[in-house]
Coordinates of all heavy atoms in Angstrom, one line a residue:
Chain D
K114 N 5.3 39.3 -17.6 CA 5.8 39.7 -16.3 C 5.9 38.4 -15.4 O 4.9 37.7 -15.3 CB 5.0 40.7 -15.6 CG 5.6 41.3 -14.4 CD 4.8 42.5 -13.9 CE 5.3 43.0 -12.5 NZ 4.5 44.1 -12.0
C115 N 7.0 38.1 -14.8 CA 7.1 37.0 -13.9 C 6.3 37.1 -12.7 O 6.5 38.1 -11.9 CB 8.6 36.7 -13.5 SG 8.8 35.3 -12.3
P116 N 5.4 36.3 -12.4 CA 4.5 36.4 -11.2 C 5.2 36.2 -9.9 O 4.7 36.6 -8.8 CB 3.4 35.4 -11.4 CG 4.0 34.3 -12.3 CD 5.0 35.1 -13.2
V117 N 6.4 35.7 -10.0 CA 7.2 35.4 -8.7 C 8.1 36.6 -8.4 O 8.1 37.2 -7.3 CB 7.9 34.1 -8.8 CG1 8.8 33.9 -7.5 CG2 6.9 32.9 -8.8
C118 N 9.0 36.9 -9.3 CA 10.0 37.9 -9.0 C 9.7 39.3 -9.7 O 10.4 40.3 -9.4 CB 11.4 37.5 -9.5 SG 11.6 37.5 -11.3
G119 N 8.7 39.3 -10.5 CA 8.2 40.6 -11.1 C 9.0 41.0 -12.3 O 8.7 42.1 -12.9
E120 N 10.1 40.3 -12.7 CA 10.9 40.6 -13.8 C 10.0 40.6 -15.1 O 9.2 39.8 -15.3 CB 12.0 39.5 -14.0 CG 13.0 39.7 -15.1 CD 14.1 40.7 -14.7 OE1 14.0 41.4 -13.6 OE2 15.0 40.9 -15.5
L122 N 9.9 40.0 -18.9 CA 10.7 39.2 -19.8 C 10.1 39.3 -21.2 O 8.9 39.2 -21.4 CB 10.6 37.7 -19.3 CG 11.1 37.5 -17.9 CD1 10.3 36.3 -17.3 CD2 12.6 37.2 -17.9
V133 N 10.8 29.4 -18.7 CA 11.3 29.5 -17.3 C 11.9 30.9 -17.1 O 12.7 31.4 -18.0 CB 12.4 28.4 -17.1 CG1 13.0 28.6 -15.7 CG2 11.8 27.0 -17.2
C134 N 11.5 31.6 -16.0 CA 12.0 32.9 -15.8 C 13.5 32.9 -15.8 O 14.1 32.1 -15.0 CB 11.4 33.5 -14.5 SG 12.2 35.1 -14.0
T135 N 14.1 33.8 -16.6 CA 15.6 33.8 -16.6 C 16.2 34.4 -15.4 O 17.4 34.2 -15.1 CB 16.1 34.7 -17.8 OG1 15.4 35.9 -17.8 CG2 15.8 33.9 -19.1
K136 N 15.4 35.1 -14.6 CA 15.9 35.7 -13.4 C 15.8 34.7 -12.1 O 16.7 34.4 -11.5 CB 15.2 37.0 -13.0 CG 15.9 37.8 -12.0 CD 15.2 39.1 -11.7 CE 15.8 39.9 -10.5 NZ 14.9 40.9 -10.0
C137 N 14.5 34.2 -11.9 CA 14.3 33.5 -10.7 C 14.0 32.0 -10.9 O 13.9 31.2 -9.9 CB 13.2 34.1 -9.9 SG 11.5 33.7 -10.5
G138 N 13.9 31.6 -12.1 CA 13.7 30.2 -12.4 C 12.2 29.7 -12.3 O 12.0 28.5 -12.4
H139 N 11.3 30.7 -12.1 CA 9.9 30.3 -12.0 C 9.5 29.6 -13.3 O 9.8 30.1 -14.4 CB 9.1 31.6 -11.8 CG 7.6 31.3 -12.0 ND1 6.8 30.5 -11.2 CD2 6.7 31.8 -13.0 CE1 5.6 30.5 -11.7 NE2 5.5 31.3 -12.7
F141 N 6.8 29.1 -15.8 CA 5.5 29.5 -16.3 C 4.7 28.4 -16.7 O 5.2 27.3 -17.2 CB 5.7 30.5 -17.5 CG 6.1 31.9 -17.1 CD1 7.4 32.1 -16.6 CD2 5.3 32.9 -17.2 CE1 7.8 33.4 -16.3 CE2 5.7 34.2 -16.9 CZ 6.9 34.5 -16.4
Ligands
ZN122 ZN1 11.0 35.3 -12.0

Side-chain angles (χ1 to χ4, degrees):
Chain D
K114 191 174 173 180
C115 175
V117 172
C118 71
E120 183 81 352
L122 301 151
V133 174
C134 173
T135 48
K136 192 178 172 200
C137 76
H139 168 65
F141 282 71

